[in-house]
């Protein structure tokens, strides 16, 4: 349970003065949550200095001025297009306040003739007159307070003004309780950082521009807190897994030998290297928790299969979990034919397999007749019982969380876990997402693959592209046509894809199919099947195909609005046409004009086929958050830490967390207790809970 001391921070923002239902909703959109803590994590990006309080005759146009003036006269507009104007003056001169599209009532109420007011905003000069359009505030002199001379600027959304946030934030800050210090005292002194509460206060009260920089002591402190919570939570989960001793799996190699003999290729050095690492883990008495990273097409599936066979040779079972049904089925299709000659049974288990069929599979899993099962998250439902699960392979493409991953391994008898990922993840991000998981990388793709010919062209060329495609398809080629990603909205994605599909149908008739995320699995499968068989030669798709479909005959890929995709995503997509040995062509169509960065990004795609290089360059060009295709990637997004600035803090936090768990694994010491509060503060509740288990 969350400690009581944190309750005020997790209270809803409606409890703050001035926040009603409407504001609450808007805040929720802006902050991604409607609790006080969400508000406090919303960091300012600027300050407005309102301390410049000149007399009107001295006021310099172009600056933010705070003026003490008397209302002289109202000039109502003669038609709708004209603004409402109010003349104001002080002892030295006069100025005009300009309002477009506002109710005359409210202006008359706020600015009665003869009254003195403090107004603040940007002063402009127009035809030699001083004007201020829509002042930022209009106050009675007694309402004006010293601290209004510095206004903190926050990222906003329609309906939420800076003034509002400046009113809410002090109230939220007032709710921050004094919390026990969770950082090491000496470290804190060394860094010269403030305590948590003071840091929050400082961050929300910047005095000058430099206070907004991410490397100020206050910002570093908060970033470090967030990173430490992240590393500690991962460390706790890992510790839990590691504590359960593993089992020694050391098969005699007979099954693996046979499979290797039937393969039409030799394992690459890179595959052999990671297999040695995996086998060593399996042989050790500790549980394996290993991340297997390899670019698209680097041959992870066969590596996973061999690891699974090692377990089977020992009389145990292995499971492989994929993020989607299509993928699970594909894995099975790859694996099953290799297992058949060995007399081994592999089965598919997804949510869609129901009734008798499912019963049969469940029974065979429980009595051990099935050696290898491939499936979706249905695999770790409660009623799935294994006879003796020794290895769980998770092909994740970033769709599972840490806890889900471990969920499957808990079904086993001290089962090993091997997580596979195809997205090239820079080392820093590996650390934030997986902690200190062991890490293997297949760093070379098999030889003999032809490079893809990647071309970049403006969307205006679409008609030419279709003409060219017509020739290629007539020659028997198969192609993907990927439709643009529209602001993470599936609905709009779909509309775009459907429109393109309709257009292409006019040209290609029944040779073209459509596949998208909203379709039923059954229908998706049917379309995929027809494309595989060659009944369809052109497949229009939203990004659903990104997650690893395998049609070796497909050699052409056209991506519409390529500029909207993350490079990692484009790289994944392009990987779809490199399954076989035939030369492939990838055409990236962009909307002009393309920004400088946009040009550079597409150029990287043109010149590199190395997923790691592409990922690193993308990181340089766009910064950390976006690299993996944003939120859906399941990667930890930090609210206070900025990976391009606080990378070194991540490494310190990683060491810190390790030390903490070595010396105080149960978080029982005084500092340990404080660290529990930290974990709850950053909502790592799950990891604290593992202590009770
Ligand atoms: P991914 O890492 O993307 O999952 P796969 O395991 O699906 O890659 O392998 C991609 C293709 O490469 C498959 O058709 C597979 O049979 C083939 N392959 C795997 N290993 C090798 C190898 N050593 N030499 C040649 N082809 C290989
Ligand atoms: Mg694969």
């Amino acid at each position: 349970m969350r400690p009581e001391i944190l309750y005020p921070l997790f209270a809803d923002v409606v409890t703050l003065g001035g926040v009603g239902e409407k504001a609450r909703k808007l805040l929720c959109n802006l902050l991604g949550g409607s609790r006080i803590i969400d508000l406090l994590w919303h960091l300012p990006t600027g300050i407005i200095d309102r301390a410049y309080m000149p007399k009107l005759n001295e006021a310099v146009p172009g600056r933010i001025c705070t003026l003490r003036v008397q209302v002289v006269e109202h000039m109502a507009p003669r038609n709708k297009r004209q603004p409402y104007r109010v003349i104001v003056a002080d002892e030295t001169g006069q100025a005009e306040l300009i309002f477009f599209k506002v109710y005359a009532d409210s202006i008359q109420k706020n600015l009665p003739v003869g009254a003195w007011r403090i107004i603040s905003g940007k002063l402009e000069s127009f035809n030699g007159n001083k004007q201020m359009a829509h002042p930022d505030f209009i106050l009675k002199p007694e309402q004006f307070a010293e601290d209004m001379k510095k206004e903190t600027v926050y990222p906003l959304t329609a309906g939420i003004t800076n003034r509002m946030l400046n009113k809410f934030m002090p109230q939220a800050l007032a709710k921050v309780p004094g919390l026990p210090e969770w950082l090491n005292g000496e470290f804190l002194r060394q860094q010269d950082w403030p305590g948590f509460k003071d840091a929050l206060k400082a961050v929300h009260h910047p005095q000058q521009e430099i206070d907004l920089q991410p490397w100020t002591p206050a910002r570093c402190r908060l970033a470090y807190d967030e990173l430490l919570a992240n590393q500690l939570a991962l460390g706790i989960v890992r510790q839990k897994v590691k504590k359960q001793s593993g089992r020694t799996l050391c098969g005699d190699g007979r099954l693996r030998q046979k499979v290797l003999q039937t393969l039409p290729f030799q394992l690459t050095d890179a595959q052999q290297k990671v297999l040695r690492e995996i086998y060593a883990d399996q042989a050790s008495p500790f549980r394996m928790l290993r991340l297997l990273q390899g670019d698209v097409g680097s041959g992870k599936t066969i590596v996973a299969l061999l690891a699974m066979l090692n377990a089977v040779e020992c009389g145990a079972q292995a499971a492989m979990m994929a993020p989607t049904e299509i993928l699970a089925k594909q894995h099975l299709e790859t694996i099953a034919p290799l297992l058949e000659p060995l007399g081994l049974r592999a089965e598919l288990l997804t949510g869609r397999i129901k009734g008798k069929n499912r019963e049969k599979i469940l029974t065979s899993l429980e009595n051990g007749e099935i050696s290898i099962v491939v499936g979706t998250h249905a695999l770790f439902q409660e009623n799935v019982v294994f006879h003796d699960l020794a290895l769980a392979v998770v092909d994740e493409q970033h769709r599972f969380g840490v806890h889900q991953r471990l969920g499957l391994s808990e079904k086993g008898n001290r089962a090993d876990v091997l997580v596979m990922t195809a997205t090239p993840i820079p080392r820093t991000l590996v650390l934030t997402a997986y902690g200190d998981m062991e890490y293997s990388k297949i760093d070379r793709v098999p030889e003999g693959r032809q490079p893809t010919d990647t071309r970049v062209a403006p969307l205006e060329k679409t008609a030419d592209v279709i003409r060219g495609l017509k020739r290629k398809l007539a020659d028997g080629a198969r192609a993907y046509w990927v439709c643009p990603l529209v602001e993470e909205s599936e609905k709009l994605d779909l509309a775009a894809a459907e429109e393109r599909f309709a257009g292409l149908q006019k040209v290609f008739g029944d040779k073209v199919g459509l596949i998208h995320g909203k379709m039923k699995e059954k229908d998706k499968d049917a379309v995929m099947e027809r494309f595989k068989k060659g009944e369809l030669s052109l497949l229009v798709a939203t990004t659903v195909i990104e997650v690893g479909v395998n049609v070796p005959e497909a050699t052409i890929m056209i991506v519409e609005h390529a500029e909207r995709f993350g490079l990692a995503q484009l790289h994944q997509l392009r990987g779809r046409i490199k399954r076989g040995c035939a030369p492939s062509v990838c055409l990236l169509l962009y909307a002009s004009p393309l920004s400088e960065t946009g040009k550079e990004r597409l150029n990287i795609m043109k010149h590199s086929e190395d997923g790691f290089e592409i990922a690193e360059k993308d990181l340089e060009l766009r910064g950390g958050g976006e690299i993996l295709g944003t939120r859906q990637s399941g990667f930890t997004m930090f609210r206070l830490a900025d990976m391009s600035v606080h990378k070194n803090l991540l490494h310190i936090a990683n060491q810190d967390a390790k030390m903490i768990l070595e010396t105080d694994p149960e978080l029982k010491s005084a500092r340990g207790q404080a660290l529990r509060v930290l974990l709850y503060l950053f909502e790592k509740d799950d990891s604290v809970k593992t202590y009770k288990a």
Side-chain angles (χ1 to χ4, degrees):
M1 286 298 282
R2 177 180 296 145
E4 229 162 280
I5 193 170
L6 292 178
Y7 287 2
L9 294 179
F10 286 85
D12 199 277
V13 286
V14 279
T15 57
L16 299 177
V19 184
E21 257 318 305
K22 192 172 147 221
R24 178 185 181 274
K25 249 202 202 122
L26 295 169
L27 283 173
C28 194
N29 289 340
L30 176 66
L31 310 170
S34 67
R35 301 155 314 170
I36 296 205
I37 191 84
D38 298 310
L39 193 60
L40 290 170
W41 292 160
H42 193 58
L43 301 189
T45 51
I47 33 179
I48 297 175
D49 186 354
R50 300 195 187 277
Y52 178 58
M53 300 184 70
K55 291 286 169 209
L56 269 174
N57 66 338
E58 296 165 343
V60 179
R63 285 186 69 173
I64 301 272
C65 302
T66 304
L67 305 168
R68 189 175 176 283
V69 290
Q70 192 174 25
V71 181
V72 178
E73 187 188 358
H74 284 237
M75 295 160 77
R78 260 162 291 153
N79 63 50
K80 272 196 185 146
R81 259 164 302 150
Q82 283 187 340
Y84 193 107
R85 293 183 300 163
V86 177
I87 310 292
V88 295
D90 65 8
E91 306 79 24
T92 67
Q94 68 171 37
E96 259 179 13
L97 308 183
I98 310 277
F99 301 90
F100 289 92
K101 294 187 181 168
V102 266
Y103 293 109
D105 300 3
S106 71
I107 297 178
Q108 280 152 10
K109 207 174 109 213
N110 282 337
L111 291 163
V113 173
W116 284 89
R117 289 291 182 261
I118 309 285
I119 60 170
S120 186
K122 191 161 181 196
L123 196 71
E124 305 282 3
S125 169
F126 187 72
N127 288 343
N129 294 325
K130 285 176 177 156
Q131 290 191 341
M132 188 183 289
H134 296 267
D136 297 332
F137 64 71
I138 299 171
L139 297 170
K140 294 178 184 157
E142 64 271 22
Q143 289 173 318
F144 184 66
E146 199 52 32
D147 63 7
M148 292 178 188
K149 288 187 183 170
K150 280 260 154 55
E151 189 175 313
T152 309
V153 178
Y154 291 96
L156 299 174
T157 184
I160 297 291
T161 65
N162 219 28
R163 283 280 295 153
M164 288 161 90
L165 287 179
N166 273 269
K167 261 195 247 169
F168 304 154
M169 212 55 92
Q171 297 182 60
L173 283 167
K175 303 231 180 207
V176 181
L179 296 173
E181 182 55 69
W182 45 73
L183 295 188
N184 175 288
E186 191 167 336
F187 174 64
L188 204 57
R189 270 188 302 280
Q190 259 173 29
Q191 300 289 331
D192 206 10
W193 287 344
F196 172 75
K197 188 172 171 173
D198 289 337
L200 256 187
K201 277 196 182 145
V203 156
H204 286 290
H205 286 121
Q207 294 303 308
Q208 38 190 336
E209 285 295 324
I210 199 165
D211 297 336
L212 297 160
Q213 301 297 340
W215 54 78
T216 61
R219 290 237 179 175
C220 281
R221 154 88 212 210
L222 296 180
Y224 188 80
D225 285 342
E226 185 173 37
L227 293 168
L228 182 61
N230 163 270
Q231 289 299 298
L232 195 57
L234 289 166
I236 289 168
V237 173
R238 178 185 152 88
Q239 168 181 275
K240 188 188 166 202
V241 175
K242 283 269 159 173
K243 220 167 43 192
Q244 303 152 328
S245 61
R247 55 201 286 187
T248 304
L249 289 178
C250 209
D252 57 10
R254 79 203 127 87
L255 300 174
R256 284 172 282 171
Q257 273 305 292
K258 278 196 198 140
V259 164
L260 287 173
Q261 278 160 15
T262 46
L263 287 179
F265 51 76
Q266 299 266 309
L267 293 183
T268 62
D269 290 347
Q271 284 169 317
Q272 283 174 16
K273 185 193 72 189
V274 304
L275 271 171
R276 276 196 299 275
E277 291 164 355
I278 293 168
Y279 292 155
D281 276 0
Q282 290 183 306
S284 94
F286 300 105
R287 271 180 90 171
M288 168 165 82
L289 191 53
R290 185 173 284 277
L291 177 67
L292 170 59
Q293 211 182 26
D295 208 347
V296 201
S298 61
K300 292 184 293 297
T301 315
I302 187 73
V303 167
L305 176 65
L306 290 166
M308 292 196 285
L309 286 175
N310 187 17
V312 176
E313 284 168 10
C314 299
Q317 293 168 297
M320 185 169 188
M321 178 163 77
T324 64
E325 288 213 45
I326 291 198
L327 249 183
K329 214 173 284 168
Q330 233 164 57
H331 281 316
L332 187 80
E333 281 166 15
T334 313
I335 288 171
L338 292 167
L339 294 184
E340 225 174 60
L342 308 178
L344 293 178
R345 198 165 143 208
E347 285 286 350
L348 184 72
L349 185 64
T350 68
R352 213 153 46 88
I353 296 170
K354 296 224 167 75
K356 273 227 185 78
N357 219 343
R358 186 181 192 85
E359 286 306 312
K360 250 182 17 213
I361 293 172
L362 290 181
T363 312
S364 318
L365 268 179
E366 194 165 356
N367 64 25
E369 281 163 24
I370 295 178
S371 309
I372 291 181
V373 64
V374 182
T376 53
H377 53 272
L379 282 177
F380 53 3
Q381 276 164 8
E382 257 162 50
N383 59 356
V384 181
V385 180
F386 288 86
H387 178 65
D388 181 17
L389 178 67
L391 171 63
V393 178
V394 182
D395 182 7
E396 77 161 1
Q397 329 251 3
H398 314 305
R399 267 148 232 252
F400 302 112
V402 177
H403 293 276
Q404 242 175 328
R405 250 177 247 149
L406 294 174
L408 183 58
S409 75
E410 272 162 18
K411 292 213 164 273
N413 178 8
R414 294 164 291 152
D416 289 329
V417 180
L418 179 67
V419 178
M420 303 199 294
T421 172
T423 307
I425 319 168
R427 185 76 191 114
T428 321
L429 292 185
V430 171
L431 201 55
T432 61
Y434 299 94
D436 289 306
M437 213 168 187
E438 261 82 33
Y439 178 86
S440 292
K441 188 166 141 187
I442 306 184
D443 48 13
R444 302 282 297 263
V445 297
E447 308 254 317
R449 300 258 169 87
Q450 302 209 25
T452 302
D453 177 8
T454 301
R455 300 179 206 170
V456 175
L459 278 169
E460 287 79 26
K461 297 263 189 234
T462 303
D464 296 339
V465 170
I466 292 176
R467 263 194 297 279
L469 195 57
K470 210 168 168 178
R471 276 195 306 273
K472 295 270 189 193
L473 296 193
D475 286 347
R478 251 173 272 174
Y480 297 104
W481 188 297
V482 180
C483 286
L485 193 71
V486 189
E487 292 177 14
E488 299 191 4
S489 152
E490 264 194 75
K491 236 195 204 155
L492 294 175
D493 278 4
L494 186 51
E498 273 169 347
E499 196 181 317
R500 177 56 70 198
F501 172 62
L504 289 171
Q505 250 183 338
K506 285 191 191 125
V507 184
F508 298 103
D510 60 2
K511 286 300 225 182
V512 47
L514 173 66
I515 188 165
H516 58 75
K518 282 260 144 90
M519 275 161 72
K520 291 216 183 84
E521 287 296 332
K522 200 172 59 179
D523 301 335
K524 267 194 240 176
D525 287 353
V527 175
M528 256 347 274
E529 209 45 50
R530 292 183 60 210
F531 186 60
K532 259 188 207 166
K533 282 192 197 140
E535 290 167 27
L536 298 175
S537 47
L538 178 60
L539 189 61
V540 180
T542 57
T543 38
V544 286
I545 62 158
E546 177 195 348
V547 262
V549 296
N550 200 358
V551 180
E553 294 83 3
T555 54
I556 301 171
M557 170 156 301
I558 293 147
V559 183
E560 242 182 282
H561 280 290
E563 80 281 359
R564 293 185 189 165
F565 289 82
L567 290 194
Q569 230 177 348
L570 287 178
H571 180 67
Q572 295 280 312
L573 283 171
R574 189 169 57 181
R576 299 302 123 217
I577 49 169
K578 285 175 62 170
R579 314 305 286 183
C581 306
S584 52
V585 182
C586 177
L587 198 56
L588 303 175
L589 296 175
Y590 63 85
S592 23
L594 204 50
S595 69
E596 273 311 306
T597 318
K599 257 182 225 156
E600 233 174 294
R601 293 179 67 243
L602 293 186
N603 258 328
I604 294 171
M605 291 308 296
K606 206 163 131 177
H607 296 300
S608 178
E609 292 203 63
D610 176 338
F612 286 89
E613 185 185 334
I614 291 172
E616 293 289 349
K617 291 249 172 81
D618 205 18
L619 187 66
E620 272 167 39
L621 285 175
R622 299 208 297 173
E626 286 191 81
I627 183 167
L628 298 150
T630 61
R631 266 167 290 156
Q632 84 223 6
S633 65
F635 263 83
T636 320
M637 289 298 156
F638 293 110
R639 304 184 77 162
L640 309 174
D642 174 346
M643 271 313 108
S644 60
V645 182
H646 300 127
K647 210 157 145 181
N648 65 326
L649 293 182
L650 174 68
H651 292 281
I652 302 173
N654 174 258
Q655 292 302 316
D656 200 1
K658 250 190 225 161
M659 257 248 300
I660 291 162
L661 291 175
E662 259 163 42
T663 52
D664 182 17
E666 303 277 314
L667 299 186
K668 280 189 169 145
S669 67
R671 186 181 179 203
Q673 294 293 334
L675 284 162
R676 287 178 183 227
V677 175
L678 172 73
L679 288 169
Y680 280 110
L681 182 66
F682 285 97
E683 300 177 68
K684 310 288 181 195
D685 301 27
D686 285 350
S687 58
V688 196
K689 274 187 208 135
T690 62
Y691 281 120
K692 294 202 194 88

